[in-house]
Amino acid sequence: MHFSKTYSQLLLTLPPELRESAIQYRQLKKIINQIVAELTSLGLSPDVLHGILQPTPAPGDKGKQREGSPPPHTQNTSGPRVIYELAHVADHVEPRLRLCLDPTDDPPPSDEPGPSSSPPKAGPTITLPVPQEVLRTALGASIPPEQPGNALHDGELADSSALPAELIIPLVSDTTFFRTLTEALNSLAAYLVAKRGEFESTLRHLSQDISSVSRPSSHSSSFHPHSRYSDDPANVSVSSHTLAITSRSDLDTWRQIFQLYVEADIFQGHQERFRGERDIEDAEARLRTFKSDLEERISKGALKLRMKQSRAALKTFMELNTFILDLRKFQHVTAEATRKILKKHAKRTALPLAPDLTSPFVVRPDSQEGALVLSRSSTRRSETLSLSLLLVQALTETLLPIIPHIDDYSCVICTSLAFKPIRLRCSHLFCVRCLVKLQKRGEEHCPICRAPTVLSADRSNVDWALLNFMKDWFPLEAKKKLQQNEREAAEEEMQELGLDVRGCMIM
């Protein structure tokens, strides 16, 4: 199947707004045909250029020339030559042929006035001998017609002193090709700037919505951050009654949603066996799995979105992830279409491959006011980010910190919530049950830094502020850990009394 058909089919899988910003691949193919006709009229048909630029390979040469490498230069350096160059004039690229008729000197830079006040900056050039028919076509009557017995060979002129040192031949169709392609990429860049602004605005509103529907009990009117009867921090307590938040907040539901999202690793891998941006197929499969798992949990009642605002926020959250995936697809198909059309341009016209064009999907970290900065291939890879990756980072860095993650407040010994939290003099944190067990075994050193701080810990080492924070943001986990601690403490007390704790017997 031709790429133009594949390209059209791939665009049909994307939203209409992205399809309208795609480059016109078929239009560029038609312009390439016009370039071939223009070069043929100058006597530089693709067959002529192929014969000059692609010499017969040596018997020992194997394989094709590496794609993207410049064509080999001819070894003949005598006589007039023609140079193909890409000059940057004003805001566009102007391909042209420079006929150098003086074989002794290098071609001087052009000082002809142009649309720009600064002299045009030449791009990559390629030099080749000028066939006699090209000189006749370009110079017209300047070269006398061949007379019998006085034939002119390629590169020989009848009266070189009467001819200019060089002649510039602008390639109109080639200019149209690069203008059309660069305008399409610039238009796409402007569109992506606007979409990035819309994405960030939607993300800010979504973070506010999730914050309002997942508030802890401390945001209720019944909460008092201080005690009117005592200054003892132990008396300042947050109610762990779960009904205080379950009827007015979807805190635990959003914590589970974000936990599933982190475990899905949709767009980026964070595991040891794979780190970095995932390919499109893998990301699409992971997003589909995450969505189906979420819908299954909601249908079974494992996840309950009690508030209408929560359901709207979840829909927006999924739409943002779908947009990032569509952007990844669009980025891939646009890059492939650009590469294919430039390769076809070089193959059909036999002109050298053009330099890398600006990419509308590449962003520099030092971009100002959130605008995209297009970077060329000279920019080091470490200094740029793809737009889709930048949006993924914005999504995770904005939404995930809204709800504290339980792993950030877990005990390193039992790996569950560090409740009640005991902070040793070395500043390391453990739950009270694990610390009591260490003290009963007579272990003096901190399990993390080996400082002798365990046996000296007492009630004054309780981190009351963190304890209330855990009861506020992790009410279900705090209640479960408190019940577990009480059960373990009772079992240890029964064992110390010599009683069997495996069960009760009724006599």
Side-chain angles (χ1 to χ4, degrees):
M1 182 181 296
H2 294 289
F3 179 76
S4 58
K5 295 183 179 180
T6 305
Y7 181 64
S8 301
Q9 293 177 359
L10 290 174
L11 291 180
L12 291 176
T13 62
L14 300 176
E17 55 185 6
L18 290 179
R19 292 201 299 267
E20 295 173 358
S21 303
I23 64 174
Q24 301 299 320
Y25 187 81
R26 292 185 176 180
Q27 179 184 359
L28 293 172
K29 285 180 61 178
K30 294 179 181 178
I31 298 177
I32 291 178
N33 295 332
Q34 299 173 9
I35 298 173
V36 174
E38 182 180 4
L39 291 173
T40 303
S41 67
L42 295 174
L44 289 174
S45 64
D47 293 336
V48 173
L49 290 178
H50 273 297
I52 298 173
L53 299 178
Q54 305 290 341
T56 304
D61 294 342
K62 295 182 179 180
K64 297 181 179 180
Q65 183 184 6
R66 188 177 60 181
E67 180 181 328
S69 61
H73 297 273
T74 178
Q75 299 299 323
N76 182 18
T77 59
S78 62
R81 310 177 72 80
V82 60
I83 300 175
Y84 174 74
E85 61 185 11
L86 297 174
H88 297 277
V89 180
D91 58 344
H92 65 279
V93 176
E94 186 178 283
R96 58 194 184 184
L97 296 176
R98 184 190 298 271
L99 268 68
C100 303
L101 305 179
D102 187 358
T104 58
D105 301 328
D106 293 335
S110 174
D111 54 358
E112 298 177 1
S116 175
S117 58
S118 60
K121 181 180 179 182
T125 61
I126 191 71
T127 305
L128 56 146
V130 183
Q132 183 68 28
E133 59 270 15
V134 177
L135 293 178
R136 293 187 178 279
T137 303
L139 300 178
S142 300
I143 300 181
E146 297 181 5
Q147 301 295 333
N150 189 27
L152 293 177
H153 300 286
D154 286 354
E156 295 182 357
L157 299 178
D159 186 6
S160 60
S161 61
L163 299 177
E166 65 176 12
L167 183 66
I168 301 297
I169 304 178
L171 300 178
V172 180
S173 299
D174 210 15
T175 302
T176 304
F177 173 84
F178 283 103
R179 184 190 294 271
T180 303
L181 183 57
T182 54
E183 286 180 353
L185 293 177
N186 291 337
S187 175
L188 177 57
Y191 168 78
L192 292 177
V193 170
K195 292 303 293 183
R196 178 185 176 185
E198 294 177 8
F199 184 94
E200 293 175 347
S201 177
T202 304
L203 189 59
R204 285 193 296 269
H205 288 92
L206 178 60
S207 64
Q208 296 173 0
D209 293 341
I210 295 179
S211 298
S212 63
V213 299
S214 58
R215 293 176 175 177
S217 59
S218 60
H219 286 263
S220 63
S221 57
S222 59
F223 175 77
H224 299 285
H226 59 85
S227 174
R228 69 182 69 179
Y229 304 108
S230 174
D231 294 332
D232 187 356
N235 294 327
V236 182
S237 178
V238 176
S239 174
S240 60
H241 186 45
T242 58
L243 294 178
I245 68 163
T246 54
S247 59
R248 302 185 184 92
S249 175
D250 286 325
L251 172 62
D252 186 64
T253 301
W254 277 104
R255 178 176 288 116
Q256 295 182 55
I257 292 174
F258 286 162
Q259 179 65 27
L260 290 175
Y261 185 76
V262 170
E263 293 175 354
D265 263 350
I266 298 174
F267 299 105
Q268 272 187 293
H270 299 89
Q271 308 298 328
E272 291 186 2
R273 58 182 179 180
F274 180 82
R275 292 183 181 273
E277 197 170 9
R278 299 189 183 278
D279 55 38
I280 297 176
E281 292 76 12
D282 190 13
E284 185 174 16
R286 288 174 176 271
L287 181 60
R288 186 166 52 248
T289 302
F290 168 72
K291 185 177 180 180
S292 61
D293 190 13
L294 203 59
E295 293 175 349
E296 181 181 0
R297 289 171 180 256
I298 293 176
S299 62
K300 292 183 178 180
L303 290 178
K304 297 181 180 179
L305 294 171
R306 300 175 178 85
M307 304 178 67
K308 181 179 180 181
Q309 194 175 0
S310 283
R311 293 189 288 271
L314 180 59
K315 181 180 178 181
T316 304
F317 177 71
M318 297 304 300
E319 289 175 351
L320 292 180
N321 282 275
T322 303
F323 171 76
I324 294 176
L325 181 62
D326 289 338
L327 184 63
R328 287 281 308 277
K329 294 179 180 179
F330 187 54
Q331 175 179 346
H332 170 73
V333 72
T334 301
E336 187 68 11
T338 304
R339 186 187 69 84
K340 288 277 188 180
I341 201 65
L342 290 177
K343 182 180 178 181
K344 184 176 291 292
H345 171 275
K347 182 178 180 181
R348 292 286 308 279
T349 64
L351 294 174
L353 280 174
D356 292 337
L357 299 177
T358 56
S359 173
F361 298 96
V362 177
V363 186
R364 271 183 170 175
D366 57 354
S367 59
Q368 298 178 355
E369 299 180 357
L372 289 176
V373 177
L374 303 183
S375 62
R376 294 187 178 271
S377 59
S378 59
T379 305
R380 292 193 299 270
R381 183 176 180 86
S382 59
E383 296 178 351
T384 61
L385 293 172
S386 66
L387 178 58
S388 57
L389 182 58
L390 192 68
L391 297 184
V392 170
Q393 293 179 354
L395 182 70
T396 55
E397 292 175 1
T398 303
L399 297 183
L400 298 186
I402 293 176
I403 301 177
H405 199 278
I406 192 172
D407 291 344
D408 298 330
Y409 302 92
S410 61
C411 174
V412 297
I413 297 178
C414 62
T415 68
S416 61
L417 185 67
F419 191 83
K420 296 179 178 181
I422 306 297
R423 190 174 298 278
L424 303 179
R425 293 199 311 270
C426 58
S427 299
H428 292 124
L429 193 73
F430 305 93
C431 68
V432 64
R433 285 303 305 162
C434 291
L435 189 68
V436 168
K437 293 177 181 179
L438 291 176
Q439 289 181 339
K440 287 186 175 181
R441 291 198 297 265
E443 298 183 8
E444 181 182 6
H445 299 91
C446 171
I448 299 178
C449 65
R450 310 307 298 169
T453 56
V454 174
L455 295 180
S456 60
D458 53 19
R459 191 172 183 271
S460 63
N461 291 93
V462 178
D463 193 332
W464 299 105
L466 184 59
L467 183 143
N468 287 326
F469 178 87
M470 291 179 178
K471 292 172 66 177
D472 193 20
W473 282 98
F474 305 97
L476 300 178
E477 292 82 357
K479 182 179 180 180
K480 180 180 179 180
K481 185 61 179 291
L482 182 61
Q483 293 174 349
Q484 180 182 352
N485 290 346
E486 293 175 349
R487 182 171 59 255
E488 288 184 1
E491 291 177 356
E492 290 179 2
E493 185 177 356
M494 295 288 287
Q495 290 176 354
E496 292 175 356
L497 295 175
L499 300 177
D500 187 5
V501 296
R502 290 176 297 180
C504 297
M505 298 181 61
I506 300 178
M507 303 297 293

